[in-house]
Amino acid sequence: MADRRAGRAVAGVVLVLALAGCAAGVRDDAGRVTAPATTDTFSVRVGDCLGKLPSESTDELSLLPCTEPHYWEAFATATLTGEDFPGTAAVRNQAEDECNRAFAGFVGVAANKSKLELTMLTPTKETWTQANDREVVCLVGSPGGGVIGTLKDAAR
């Protein structure tokens, strides 16, 4: 499993709404992405496919149709609890536990037995305290890209 994890960046309400609006214009009636778009981490939905993740905190992500080559697929979300930010390591550990639990049900094999990689978008201290962000987005894919279609039931 990769140690690569992307954090959520602080995004202003105007930026969040503007980017969410862009992503909404490239979705079909079922909510599937139909054209490449840039969005923020708060707008990523289960079933979305993403391009390469930036190495640092992300305030812009590339949404791609899953029928085109992509890197990652959002397969689950989880909500962390607590009033006070528990620290980056604790957030990552909780997020990893939640995503590992969901991985096998989606891919068909446990994350530690899979050839695919697991990563996640997690709240940062800033988004936790300023935006009441508790959501984790679980991603499966390949940091090298080249994934086409969904990884549901890929069993690899």
Side-chain angles (χ1 to χ4, degrees):
M1 181 169 49
D3 264 349
R4 297 182 186 141
R5 291 174 181 86
R8 293 179 185 253
V10 178
V13 173
V14 173
L15 178 61
V16 170
L17 292 175
L19 291 172
C22 291
V26 297
R27 293 185 186 275
D28 64 16
D29 291 339
R32 291 181 299 257
V33 174
T34 59
T38 300
T39 194
D40 61 276
T41 59
F42 295 101
S43 300
V44 174
R45 301 178 189 176
V46 169
D48 284 352
C49 293
L50 305 169
K52 187 174 184 176
L53 297 177
S55 59
E56 296 297 320
S57 293
T58 57
D59 60 356
E60 288 188 5
L61 295 170
S62 297
L63 279 180
L64 299 168
C66 293
T67 56
E68 295 180 9
H70 56 276
Y71 289 73
W72 303 101
E73 180 178 356
F75 71 92
T77 59
T79 302
L80 305 179
T81 59
E83 288 299 312
D84 297 326
F85 183 72
T88 302
V91 166
R92 285 185 179 158
N93 288 338
Q94 290 175 41
E96 191 170 272
D97 288 346
E98 294 291 334
C99 292
N100 272 320
R101 277 194 278 281
F103 191 95
F106 183 78
V107 174
V109 295
N112 64 352
K113 304 276 187 205
S114 180
K115 293 179 183 178
L116 300 169
E117 294 197 29
L118 168 67
T119 192
M120 60 215 70
L121 304 175
T122 60
T124 63
K125 182 176 183 179
E126 291 78 18
T127 62
W128 187 284
T129 57
Q130 296 173 13
N132 200 32
D133 178 21
R134 304 294 188 273
E135 185 177 62
V136 172
V137 179
C138 306
L139 305 173
V140 59
S142 170
V147 177
I148 298 177
T150 184
L151 292 170
K152 177 150 182 60
D153 299 322
R156 55 182 169 118

